[in-house]
Amino acid sequence: WVGDVRLESGGPIVLFDGVCRFCDASVNWILQHDPAGRIRFAALQGPAGQALLQRFGLPLGSFGSMVLIEKGRCWLRSA
């Protein structure tokens, strides 16, 4: 558990900038393409997002990127 978030089970978590329109549109796109509802979301600025950033040693005030947390690992970029 990190804050209110259970990491080991429950599916991947996407952290996003809660005030960024592009991030909001990206979250909506993911929701439309995840009919099973596997992916969870948390705003980077919120308590769960801040706790997850802290757990992975990421800056708490930098909201320039979405973050994927899956299977105990943190991903900032994709190939």
Side-chain angles (χ1 to χ4, degrees), residues 1-78:
W1 290 88
V2 174
D4 294 341
V5 180
R6 188 174 185 178
L7 292 180
E8 291 74 27
S9 62
I13 303 167
V14 172
L15 304 180
F16 66 98
D17 182 343
V19 297
C20 167
R21 288 181 185 230
F22 177 76
C23 294
D24 289 341
S26 298
V27 167
N28 285 328
W29 187 91
I30 293 168
L31 287 169
Q32 290 172 358
H33 292 85
D34 180 28
R38 225 174 54 86
I39 300 173
R40 299 174 292 164
F41 300 90
L44 289 162
Q45 298 90 336
Q50 289 287 292
L52 289 165
L53 289 173
Q54 186 173 20
R55 163 142 184 196
F56 289 99
L58 299 171
L60 301 180
S62 177
F63 309 127
S65 178
M66 293 180 84
V67 178
L68 172 66
I69 298 171
E70 185 174 28
K71 298 179 183 175
R73 295 188 63 191
C74 175
W75 304 93
L76 298 174
R77 306 215 177 2
S78 65

